[in-house]
Amino acid sequence: MAKTAGPVGGAETTRSRILNAAVECLIDTGVAGTTTLAVQHRAEVSRGALLHHFPTHACLLAASVAELVRRNERAVSQSRAGTGPADSLVAAVGALAFAAHQPAYLAELELWAVARTDAALKQALIAAERGAGRDLERVYSQLFGEWRDCEAYDEAVTLTLHFIRGLAISENLSSSAGRRERLVAVWVDAMRMLLKTKKKMRPK
């Protein structure tokens, strides 16, 4: 029988426990296996406690996005903390490629794919991704901030985001560390071309 949350920590602890359980379900069994019943059992909470915090399945999945984003950000930080190449652009793109290879990143992409045919989930994800987008922008600013004064900065960062997502999806079927390194190297060269021109200073 599922357990109710104890008094220690209160409602926020219960909510966090449910979210962590949902994220672990998403990573282990995918969206199809992340039912409210499965999350309830993994979190060891009552049905009422789960519905109090997340009244619908779509709300539960959408709320999981923030935790997935946090895990993805930790993966970026983990990669940057390691001994990487001296070239800061190579290190930045490499950190993103490393994060995109982690289960939490793939789980987030799976949510997007399922939302294509689930209207309630799609609407919930749009709102959730709006908040996640601010976190993503902060991460990209940390990674590529030294090129912010380049004319094509916004385009280069946006294209990098799409490149990383595409790489993650394609590697889900066929993964090769050597191929990933070659593609990242090619993209870094393309970014150098995009970022070589500085913004023109406007006359005062």
Side-chain angles (χ1 to χ4, degrees), residues 18 35 65 87 102 119 141 145 162 178-179:
I18 294 170
T35 63
V65 169
D87 188 310
Q102 305 309 305
S141 180
H162 291 307
R179 175 177 175 272

mmCIF file of all heavy atoms in Angstrom, residues 18 35 65 87 102 119 141 145 162 178-179:
data_model
loop_
_atom_site.group_PDB
_atom_site.id
_atom_site.type_symbol
_atom_site.label_atom_id
_atom_site.label_comp_id
_atom_site.label_asym_id
_atom_site.label_seq_id
_atom_site.Cartn_x
_atom_site.Cartn_y
_atom_site.Cartn_z
ATOM 1 N N ILE A 18 7.310 13.589 -5.008
ATOM 2 C CA ILE A 18 6.509 13.197 -6.173
ATOM 3 C C ILE A 18 7.227 13.557 -7.467
ATOM 4 O O ILE A 18 7.285 12.763 -8.410
ATOM 5 C CB ILE A 18 5.122 13.867 -6.116
ATOM 6 C CG1 ILE A 18 4.323 13.338 -4.919
ATOM 7 C CG2 ILE A 18 4.352 13.617 -7.410
ATOM 8 C CD1 ILE A 18 3.041 14.120 -4.636
ATOM 9 N N THR A 35 2.877 6.717 -15.400
ATOM 10 C CA THR A 35 1.475 6.907 -15.042
ATOM 11 C C THR A 35 1.394 7.503 -13.641
ATOM 12 O O THR A 35 2.349 7.439 -12.863
ATOM 13 C CB THR A 35 0.731 5.569 -15.066
ATOM 14 O OG1 THR A 35 1.305 4.703 -14.070
ATOM 15 C CG2 THR A 35 0.856 4.896 -16.430
ATOM 16 N N VAL A 65 9.499 19.038 -15.941
ATOM 17 C CA VAL A 65 10.445 19.708 -16.832
ATOM 18 C C VAL A 65 11.488 20.490 -16.038
ATOM 19 O O VAL A 65 12.680 20.458 -16.348
ATOM 20 C CB VAL A 65 9.703 20.628 -17.824
ATOM 21 C CG1 VAL A 65 10.691 21.538 -18.558
ATOM 22 C CG2 VAL A 65 8.909 19.800 -18.819
ATOM 23 N N ASP A 87 40.606 25.323 -25.589
ATOM 24 C CA ASP A 87 39.746 26.131 -26.450
ATOM 25 C C ASP A 87 38.367 26.254 -25.795
ATOM 26 O O ASP A 87 37.653 25.277 -25.642
ATOM 27 C CB ASP A 87 39.629 25.453 -27.818
ATOM 28 C CG ASP A 87 38.911 26.332 -28.830
ATOM 29 O OD1 ASP A 87 37.826 26.844 -28.503
ATOM 30 O OD2 ASP A 87 39.423 26.486 -29.947
ATOM 31 N N GLN A 102 22.779 12.589 -21.796
ATOM 32 C CA GLN A 102 22.338 12.064 -20.511
ATOM 33 C C GLN A 102 20.839 11.724 -20.539
ATOM 34 O O GLN A 102 20.068 12.326 -21.290
ATOM 35 C CB GLN A 102 22.620 13.079 -19.405
ATOM 36 C CG GLN A 102 24.065 13.541 -19.324
ATOM 37 C CD GLN A 102 25.047 12.377 -19.283
ATOM 38 O OE1 GLN A 102 24.943 11.501 -18.425
ATOM 39 N NE2 GLN A 102 25.989 12.375 -20.215
ATOM 40 N N ALA A 119 -3.005 17.273 -26.491
ATOM 41 C CA ALA A 119 -3.254 18.713 -26.398
ATOM 42 C C ALA A 119 -3.054 19.236 -24.975
ATOM 43 O O ALA A 119 -2.480 20.311 -24.776
ATOM 44 C CB ALA A 119 -4.669 19.028 -26.882
ATOM 45 N N SER A 141 24.387 31.787 -21.594
ATOM 46 C CA SER A 141 25.138 33.008 -21.322
ATOM 47 C C SER A 141 26.454 32.678 -20.617
ATOM 48 O O SER A 141 27.493 33.289 -20.899
ATOM 49 C CB SER A 141 24.289 33.950 -20.458
ATOM 50 O OG SER A 141 25.003 35.134 -20.180
ATOM 51 N N GLY A 145 29.120 33.599 -23.179
ATOM 52 C CA GLY A 145 29.067 35.023 -22.867
ATOM 53 C C GLY A 145 30.185 35.847 -23.477
ATOM 54 O O GLY A 145 29.981 37.016 -23.824
ATOM 55 N N HIS A 162 19.646 23.893 -31.597
ATOM 56 C CA HIS A 162 19.003 22.947 -32.520
ATOM 57 C C HIS A 162 19.962 21.814 -32.909
ATOM 58 O O HIS A 162 19.549 20.659 -33.054
ATOM 59 C CB HIS A 162 18.513 23.681 -33.769
ATOM 60 C CG HIS A 162 17.359 24.604 -33.501
ATOM 61 N ND1 HIS A 162 16.200 24.196 -32.876
ATOM 62 C CD2 HIS A 162 17.200 25.929 -33.758
ATOM 63 C CE1 HIS A 162 15.363 25.220 -32.776
ATOM 64 N NE2 HIS A 162 15.957 26.280 -33.296
ATOM 65 N N GLY A 178 33.061 8.682 -31.390
ATOM 66 C CA GLY A 178 33.909 9.257 -32.423
ATOM 67 C C GLY A 178 33.134 10.140 -33.368
ATOM 68 O O GLY A 178 33.571 11.244 -33.737
ATOM 69 N N ARG A 179 31.955 9.668 -33.776
ATOM 70 C CA ARG A 179 31.109 10.459 -34.678
ATOM 71 C C ARG A 179 30.668 11.747 -33.996
ATOM 72 O O ARG A 179 30.664 12.818 -34.610
ATOM 73 C CB ARG A 179 29.890 9.636 -35.091
ATOM 74 C CG ARG A 179 28.860 10.390 -35.947
ATOM 75 C CD ARG A 179 27.733 9.444 -36.358
ATOM 76 N NE ARG A 179 26.686 10.146 -37.063
ATOM 77 C CZ ARG A 179 25.641 10.735 -36.457
ATOM 78 N NH1 ARG A 179 25.560 10.689 -35.127
ATOM 79 N NH2 ARG A 179 24.708 11.339 -37.155
#
